[in-house]
Amino acid sequence: MSEAIVRALGLLAAFDRTLLEIAGLSLRVSLSAVLIAALLGLPLGAAIAVGRFPGRQAAIVVLNAFMGLPPVVVGLIVYLALSRAGPLGPLGILFTPRAMVIAQALLIVPIVAALTRQIVEDAWREHREQLVSLGASAGRAALSLLWDTRFSLTTVVLAGFGRASAEVGAVMIVGGNIDGVTRVMTTAIALETSKGDLPLALALGLVLITLVMLLNASAYFIAEAARRRYG
Amino acid sequence: MLALALERVAYTANGQRIIDDLSAEFTAGERSVILGANGAGKSVLLRLCHGLLQPTSGTIRWNSGGSGKPRDAMVFQRPVMLRRSVLHNLTYALALAGVPWRERKARARTALAKAGLEALAKRSARVLSGGEQQRLALARAWALEPTVLFLDEPTANLDPVATREVEAIIQAIHSAGTKVIMTTHNLGQARRLGDEILFIARGRLIERAPADVFFRAPASVDAAAFLRGELP
C-alpha cells in the first residue's frame, strides 16, 4: 500500500505521459461539458425563475428531480441515441470524446438550471417591483438578474464541473474507455484498480482531487473578494 | 395638463378588500401626501396608480393632454439596488427607459450631483448606507425626468439625518416641476412636505383637504383620532 503511494507520487513527479494524457482529456471533456451546460442551464434556470407560464411548477419539479440523474442511465440514453441504429447514429461519434461531452453536459444541465432557478428566483423576489417599475421586460429582468447573481452562479457552475469530472458511468458507456482516445481519469481509475495497477490509479485520484480543490478554492476566494467589494 | 383619475377603484387580495371604492383625481403642481395608519392601504394605492397592481374593479386613467401615458417613476420604502456601481444603477434605469446610449452617462451624473452623490459614482451601490441608497433611488427616479413621482414611505427606515436629506431631495424634485405623490404615516413629514393631504383609512378615502386646513381642523372623526394619536 505505502509502496503504491510512493510510486504514485513518483509518476506525478515525473509528469508521466500516460497520466498527463488522461488528465488532459478529462479536463477537456468536463470543461466542454460544463461550458455547454452553463450556456443552456443558466438561461433556462433564469427563464423559469422569472417567467410565468403553464407547467412552470412541473418544470421545476422535473429539474429538481433530474439533479440526481444516475450517470449510467444518462450514459445509456446517449448510447442509444448515438448508436448506429439510433437517431443520431449517422453522426458517428459514439466512443469519441464528443459523445462523452454530450453525456456529461446532459447530466449537469439540470443541476445548473435547477440551482440557477433557485438563486435567480430569490433575487427576482427582491428586485421584481423595482425592475417592473423601471420598465424591464421579463427577458431583460432575467438577464439582469443572471448578472446580479454572478458570484453565486460561479459556485453553481463549479458544482456542475465537479459532478461532470467525477462521474464514471456515463463516460464509460458512451466513451468505451479506449486507451489513448476516450480514457479519462475516472474510467482509468476504475480500470487500473481492477487490474491491480494501484500506483496509476492513486496518482490519477490525487490529480482529480487536487484539481477539484484548486478550482473550488479559487472560486471561493474570487466570490468572497467580490462580495466584499460589491455587497 | 396632467391628470390622473381614479374612479371607484377597488382592490381585493385573498378575499380581503384592501382598497374600497376609492375615487380621486390628481393634477400637476402641488404635493399630494397620502396619510394613514399602517395597513390603511396607502402602499397598495400607490402601486395601483403606478401600474404595479391592477384594480379588481374601477378604472385608473391618465390624461396628459398629449399622447399616451406620461412618464411616472416610483421610489419604494426599501431601496433595491443592483450589484453594480452607483453610476451603472442609473445608466441601467436610463437604458430601460429608452434613453440613447450616448446621453445616459451625462444624465446619470447630473442626477447624482443633484442628490449629492457624485463622489460615490464609482462605488458599488449595495455597500452604501441605507440613507445613501435611498438618495440613490431618488436620483435614479429623478434621472428619468418623470412627470409624476410616487414615493412609498421613503423615509420609514431612515434615521433623522438621512430623513432630512431625503426630504430635501423630494423638495428639489417638486421644485423642478415633477408632481409628487407620496405616502407617509409620519405627521411631521406630512406637515413638512404636503400641500394637500389625502387621509386614508380601511382602504377608503376619508378626507381630502389642503394641509393647513387638515391639520388645524380635520373634518372626519377618523382623521381627528389619527392626529390625536400623534407621538411627541
Side-chain angles (χ1 to χ4, degrees):
Chain A
M1 181 65 197
S2 58
E3 191 202 325
I5 293 174
V6 171
R7 281 183 46 216
L9 293 174
L11 285 175
L12 286 175
F15 291 105
D16 181 75
R17 204 154 151 241
T18 318
L19 192 147
L20 283 184
E21 266 179 27
I22 293 173
L25 180 65
S26 270
L27 266 186
R28 275 214 327 273
V29 168
S30 295
L31 285 176
S32 308
V34 88
L35 181 70
I36 293 170
L39 286 176
L40 295 174
L42 293 172
L44 178 64
I48 295 175
V50 170
R52 289 291 173 270
F53 50 89
R56 177 175 178 271
Q57 283 172 323
I60 292 171
V61 171
V62 168
L63 266 192
N64 288 345
F66 277 18
M67 282 208 285
L69 274 184
V72 283
V73 175
V74 172
L76 177 61
I77 292 166
V78 175
Y79 179 89
L80 290 173
L82 293 179
S83 66
R84 205 170 286 264
L88 301 176
L91 291 177
I93 57 171
L94 191 61
F95 303 130
T96 67
R98 278 192 197 175
M100 298 153 75
V101 171
I102 293 173
Q104 289 194 346
L106 273 183
L107 192 65
I108 57 179
V109 161
I111 296 176
V112 174
L115 297 176
T116 300
R117 198 275 306 169
Q118 185 71 59
I119 288 169
V120 172
E121 194 168 314
D122 288 345
W124 179 231
R125 207 163 290 137
E126 184 188 356
H127 288 271
R128 192 182 61 82
E129 281 200 319
Q130 184 65 63
L131 290 179
V132 171
S133 166
L134 292 174
S137 64
R140 183 67 180 263
L143 284 180
S144 303
L145 291 178
L146 275 179
W147 178 245
D148 214 57
T149 53
R150 56 199 178 274
F151 307 125
S152 308
L153 293 178
T154 48
T155 313
V156 169
V157 171
L158 273 180
F161 178 78
R163 169 96 161 149
S165 60
E167 71 83 29
V168 203
V171 285
M172 184 75 96
I173 294 176
V174 303
N177 195 24
I178 302 166
D179 192 8
V181 185
T182 59
R183 184 161 297 171
V184 289
M185 287 193 270
T186 53
T187 56
I189 290 171
L191 178 73
E192 301 304 336
T193 306
S194 65
K195 277 182 7 195
D197 186 354
L198 295 181
L200 183 56
L202 262 177
L204 284 166
L206 283 173
V207 173
L208 191 56
I209 289 172
T210 311
L211 199 79
V212 171
M213 290 283 276
L214 276 178
L215 260 167
N216 281 283
S218 50
Y220 175 80
F221 288 112
I222 291 170
E224 272 306 295
R227 238 181 281 280
R228 268 196 301 279
R229 189 173 139 76
Y230 292 100
Chain B
M1 186 64 182
L2 164 96
L4 168 62
L6 290 80
E7 268 169 46
R8 311 208 57 179
V9 169
Y11 182 79
T12 310
N14 302 325
Q16 248 194 328
R17 192 143 265 232
I18 297 168
I19 296 294
D20 194 4
D21 196 21
L22 194 150
S23 299
E25 190 166 302
F26 296 93
T27 51
E30 56 185 14
R31 297 159 300 179
S32 305
V33 168
I34 298 169
L35 186 67
N38 289 330
K42 306 185 295 291
S43 295
V44 169
L45 180 60
L46 271 200
R47 280 165 173 74
L48 286 164
C49 290
H50 186 45
L52 288 174
L53 297 173
Q54 301 307 317
T56 313
S57 65
T59 55
I60 296 173
R61 277 185 301 109
W62 287 89
N63 188 351
S64 56
S67 56
K69 181 186 175 212
R71 174 164 288 167
D72 58 332
M74 182 154 170
V75 169
F76 297 88
Q77 182 171 340
R78 207 173 62 80
V80 182
M81 293 300 151
L82 291 169
R83 206 165 263 111
R84 44 182 99 188
S85 74
V86 164
L87 185 68
H88 283 124
N89 265 281
L90 262 69
T91 53
Y92 176 81
L94 290 168
L96 288 181
V99 173
W101 177 77
R102 272 180 236 90
E103 296 170 27
R104 285 178 209 156
K105 263 203 177 136
R107 258 173 83 167
R109 285 196 185 281
T110 309
L112 283 180
K114 287 196 266 191
L117 293 169
E118 64 270 63
L120 302 177
K122 291 212 167 99
R123 291 270 295 281
S124 176
R126 304 268 292 195
V127 300
L128 300 183
S129 72
E132 287 166 340
Q133 288 201 32
Q134 193 59 296
R135 276 153 65 202
L136 176 55
L138 280 159
R140 178 171 60 187
W142 202 355
L144 299 171
E145 295 171 3
T147 312
V148 181
L149 176 61
F150 296 106
L151 301 123
D152 185 19
E153 305 255 7
T155 64
N157 294 335
L158 302 181
D159 65 31
V161 174
T163 298
R164 200 158 28 216
E165 288 167 345
V166 163
E167 287 185 0
I169 297 172
I170 296 171
Q171 186 53 45
I173 292 175
H174 162 69
S175 302
T178 293
K179 165 76 178 178
V180 169
I181 301 177
M182 70 179 281
T183 64
T184 186
H185 58 246
N186 180 322
L187 292 169
Q189 185 164 64
R191 278 204 184 89
R192 287 190 295 277
L193 290 179
D195 292 317
E196 65 158 352
I197 306 291
L198 287 86
F199 182 74
I200 309 270
R202 298 175 303 278
R204 287 170 168 273
L205 176 59
I206 304 290
E207 183 174 350
R208 182 174 188 168
D212 54 338
V213 174
F214 178 86
F215 286 112
R216 193 162 16 88
S220 63
V221 181
D222 281 314
F226 186 72
L227 290 178
R228 267 199 311 277
E230 180 178 12
L231 297 173

